[in-house]
Amino acid sequence: MLLFIGDAYTQNNRLRAFTLEDGLPQSQVYDLIQDEMGYLWLGTQGGGLCRFNGEEFKIWNETHGLQSNYIHALTFVNDSLFIGTKRGLSIKTKDKFTNLEGPRINKICRIKNQTYLATNVGIYSYEKNVGLRKIKLNPKINTSIINDIVFDGRLYWIATNKGLWKLNAIKKNASIIERHSAHDFTAAIFYNNKVFAAAFNQGVLVLNTNAKSYGNYWISKPLRVTNISVHNDNELWFATDNEGISIVNADKRKHLRNINRKNGLTISHIRKSILDRQSNIWIATSGGGFYKYFQNNFIHYDQNTGLKGNRVYAIHTSMNEIWASNSEAGLVKIDSSGIQHIEQDERLSEVKIKTITSDASGNIWAGTDGKGMLFKEIKKFDSIVIDSSAIKKSKNDSIVKIDTIQKTIYTNHVIDRDNGLPSDWIRTILVDNNTIWAASYSTGIIRFRYDKEKKRLLRVKKFDRKNGIKDLQISYMTQDSLGKIWYATQNGHLGYIKNGRVTHLGNVLNQKTSISTLLLHKDKMFIGTAGRGIWWSDLDKVSVRKLKGRKKPYSDNIYQMIFDDQGNLWAGSERGVDKIELNQSNDIVDIFHFGRNDGFLGIETCLNAVTKDDEGNLWFGAIYGLTKYKPTESTKATIKPRLFFEDVEVAYRSLDSINLNTWIGSDKVLKLKPNQTELSFSYKTVDLDHPNDIEYRFRLNNSEWSPWSAESKQNLAGLAYGAHYFSAQSRNYRWEESDIVTFRFFIDSPIYKKAWFQLAVLAGILMIVGGYALSYIRRVKQKNKEERERLQMQNHLLSLEQKALRLQMNPHFIFNVLNGIKAMGTSNPQRMNSTINTFATLLRETLYNSRKDYITLDQEIQTLKHYIEIEQLMASKPFTYEISIDSDLDPEEILIPPMLIQPFVENAVRHGILKGSRDGELKIEFHTTDEFLHCTVKDNGQGIFQSQKTKTNTDHQSMALTVTRERLESISGKDSLNIKEIINKGNVVAGTQIAFKIPLETDY
C-alpha cells in the first residue's frame, strides 16, 4: 500500500499548540498581546485573564477582582492593562482591578493619547477622572456593533456590522460622517498608506489613502475574517473563523500560503495573530488554545501530518530517500513526493525496528527487537501508461499519448535464529560491500553474507567472549575509513574488529556509564554516553578526553550525534538537540540549543535515530515525531535580553505607589524611614523561547557581583543607614547580557544618628564634662595646694632635722676630746692649745657648712683634715692619712653636699683603724669624669664585716651611715655606694674600701 501525502501538507508544519493540558484555563482565546517585559497576555472566553512566560501560566479571574471571565479585547495604557469584557471595562494596575460596567467591548483602540472602546452599542471613551462615556455620533453608529477603529493620520475608519464609516474626528460634532460601504465589516488595519477593511462575506476592501481621492478595490478572498495583522515583510495575515489563516502579499495582493488543519492546526477558527520581539508568531484560536509558529529551519512530521505514529526509532538515508522506523507500525519512506507508508510485513507486526541501513543496491536492512532482521529487497522498473481517453477520440492516423512511470516492488526477507542468527534482538547493522555485520543485545557480533535466492546465511563468523569481546552487551557499532568495525557496550567498554581479530580496549572512560553512540569524523572518534556527556579521542591512538569548553551541552544524556556540512557537531538528548561549534582542538566554542520552544517539537530524541540526506539536511527521530533541519547561513537572531524589576518590597510590603518602569534608570531615590531596613527585589527577564535558561546576578552598592544563578529575587535585611543602590543583570541561554538596571534608595537614620543631634548631644556632654572637669580641676588644685604646703612643711622639717643631724657630733667623741684637752693642761699645755684651736675650728666649720646645701670640695677637704687631726690627737694608737685629688678641675670649683664624706671617714677610723692590729693608714681619693665626682675611702683596719658583728643597732655611727646611704641614693640613684673588704694575696682581710659617686656639680 502506498500513501501519498503532498509536500503542501508538511512544509509549513512549524506549530506548537498550548492547550488546557499545558495550563491554559480555557481553549477559546479571543485576544493576545505582549507587554513591555515580554510576557504574553491572553483573554479567554470563560477562563479569565492569563499571563504566559513561555513555560507557565498565571491566571486572574472573577475571584481575583476581574469584572468578567469573558474577555474580548486587551491593550496596555502606560503601566495598566485595559481589559474589555462582555460586561464592560476592567483596568489592572499591578494586582489591583478597577471595574467599570458597560456594554461588551470588542476592541480597545489607543489613538492620539485617547482611549476608544469599540462596543456592541457604539463607541465609548475612557478618561481617568470621568470613566466610561459614550460618544454620540451618527444614530446608526451609536446602535451598531463596532468591531474596529483605524486612524490613517487624517481620518478615522469605523468598522461596524452596518458598514464602514469615515469620520474626521470621533466626537459629537464630527464634520465628515459618511458610510463608505454597507457591508458587515469585522476587522480593519492601516498599513503602507492603505486601509485594509475585511467585510465578512465579501472579502477585503483596500483603500488607498495617499491619492487625491480614496480609490478602492476588493480582494475577493479570504472571507469571514476576524482579524488582520502585518508580519514579516509585507505579509498580511488574515485570521478567519473557518479556514485558519490566509497570508497575502500586501503590495501585490498575491496569496502566499495558508496555515490551517493541513499544517497542524486542530481548529480553523482563528481570532488573532501577533509577532513577538523574538520573531515568533503567536496564533489565538477559538477552541484550540493558542499556537506558536516558528519561523526557522525546522520542519516537523508527526501523526497529524502523515506518519503512522509519532515515535521514530530509527532513520536512514538511501538513494535520495529517507527511511524511518515509525512506532511499531513498520517503515515509512520520505522522498520528493512526500511521505509514503510502506506496507508492514505480517511477520514483523507490532515490533520495534531499532536500526536501519542499506547496501550498495539500495536494499534496506533493518534490525528489530525480538524478530531478527528484515532484508527489504527493492526492485524498480518502468511501466507504460496509455491515455485511454486519447484512444477513444483518436482516428486511425492519430498519435496515442503514452507515459512511462517507475514502479517499485518490495520483497521482504526475514532473517532470524531459524536462519542462523545467534539472537533475534538486533542493536546495530552495518553493510560492508556484500558483508553484513549485526550486533545483538547480549550475544556479541555476527558477520555473514546473505544468499537471497536460497535465503540462507553464508560465511558466518561469530565474535563473542571466545574471540575477545569481554562485554557482549553491545550498544552501538560503526565502521571507520580503514575498515575497522568499532563497537561500544552498555558497560562503557570499547573495542574494534580488524581482519577478523578483536581488540578489546576495555573501559576507556573509567566511568560507570553506558556508551550510547559512537561517531567517527575524519580522524577523530566521538563517544556519547548515558549521563556523562561527550568524550573524544584520536582514532590512531585511543586516549579519551571529555568534550569541554566555555559552555556545556544542555544534557549529559547523549542519544545521537551527527556532523553537519558546516562542521558543527549535533547532539540529541532528552531535552532536544544541541548544535556544538568546535575549534581545531575540539574545544567547545559555542552551543546552540533547540528544544520544543525553538521548533524542535519531537523533544526527546531516540537512540541513534539521526541521519543526513544528500542535500545536507539533518533528520532527527524523536518520541513525538520526525524533525528535518535545513542548515542555512541565515538563522534566527537572538535579541539582547531586557531586565525589569517586577516588584520592590519594603518591610515585606510591595511598593504599589510607584511605577517601577519609569523609576528604574532615573535619578529618583526612594526615601525610607529608619525602621525600613528590610528590602526585597524581584526582577525578571522574559524569554518566550528559553524561559528556563535565564540567569541573574546582583550586587549592592560597589560590592562584587554575585555568581550567576536562576534566582530572580533577593532579600536584603539589616541594611545600614544612608544611600544605597541595588543593581541586577540577566543573561540568556546564549550568554548575552542585559543592560544593568539599578534602583536607588536612601534609608534615613534615626534622630540619634543625625549629625545635628549628635553635635547637640556632644555639646551638652562637653558642657557637662567641662563643668565637671573645671570643678574637678579646682578641687585638684586646692588639694595639690594643700599637699604642696604640707610637703613644703614636711620638707622644711626634714631639712631642719637634717641640719640638726649634721650639727650632731658623736658625744663620746666630744667627751674624749674635752678629757684629752683637760689632761694636756698639766702635761703639755702647748699641745692643749693646738688641740683646742683645731677642735674649735672643726666645730665652727661644721656649724657653718650645715647651713648650706653645697660647699666646695676644697672646704670639705679642709673640714675632713681638721676632723682627722682631732681623731689623731684622741686616738689610742697612731695612724696616718692621705687625701689625693685627680681632676682637671680646681677643688674650689667642684661643689659637694656638706657632711657627706665625714661619716665614712669616722667609720673607717673608729671601727677600722683603731680596732685593727696594724699601724693605721687612711686614704681618701677624689677623681672626676665628665659626669660624676668619685670618692674612695680606704683603711687597713679589721674589715667592715668583722666590725659590724660587734656594733649595736643604736650605734650613732650606724645611723649616720644609713642616713648618708639614703642621701647618696637620692642624689645619685640606687647602687651608687659600694662597700667592700680589701683582701690581700694571702686571702686575709687587709681593710675596707668605700666608694661612691655623685653627679659632678660646679659653681660656673
Side-chain angles (χ1 to χ4, degrees), residues 797-833:
L797 293 175
L798 289 175
S799 179
L800 293 176
E801 181 179 346
Q802 186 181 28
K803 291 178 180 179
L805 183 61
R806 291 175 190 170
L807 291 175
Q808 291 181 7
M809 193 171 286
N810 193 335
H812 184 64
F813 169 72
I814 297 174
F815 179 77
N816 289 338
V817 172
L818 293 176
N819 282 337
I821 291 173
K822 180 180 178 182
M824 292 177 190
T826 56
S827 60
N828 193 350
Q830 185 177 359
R831 185 180 178 186
M832 178 188 70
N833 291 332

Side-chain angles (χ1 to χ4, degrees), residues 155-157 164-168 176-180 214:
L155 298 178
Y156 294 85
W157 300 85
L164 180 67
W165 296 81
K166 180 170 60 176
L167 291 78
N168 73 329
I176 301 177
I177 299 181
E178 177 185 349
R179 184 166 62 181
H180 195 282
Y214 282 84

Side-chain angles (χ1 to χ4, degrees), residues 112 145 165 230 281 292 460 463 582 648 673-674 703 781 959:
K112 298 172 67 174
I145 298 174
W165 296 81
V230 178
I281 294 177
K292 183 178 183 180
V460 177
F463 298 91
L582 302 175
V648 177
K673 298 178 181 179
S703 61
K781 284 184 176 180
M959 292 178 64

Side-chain angles (χ1 to χ4, degrees), residues 140-141 144-145 147 156-167 177-187 195-207 214 216-218:
K140 290 186 178 180
I141 298 178
S144 297
I145 298 174
N147 292 312
Y156 294 85
W157 300 85
I158 314 298
T160 75
N161 65 329
K162 298 178 182 178
L164 180 67
W165 296 81
K166 180 170 60 176
L167 291 78
I177 299 181
E178 177 185 349
R179 184 166 62 181
H180 195 282
S181 180
H183 301 295
D184 179 7
F185 284 88
T186 56
V195 173
F196 297 85
F200 194 66
N201 290 312
Q202 280 71 34
V204 180
L205 176 63
V206 183
L207 299 149
Y214 282 84
N216 64 82
Y217 52 86
W218 286 86

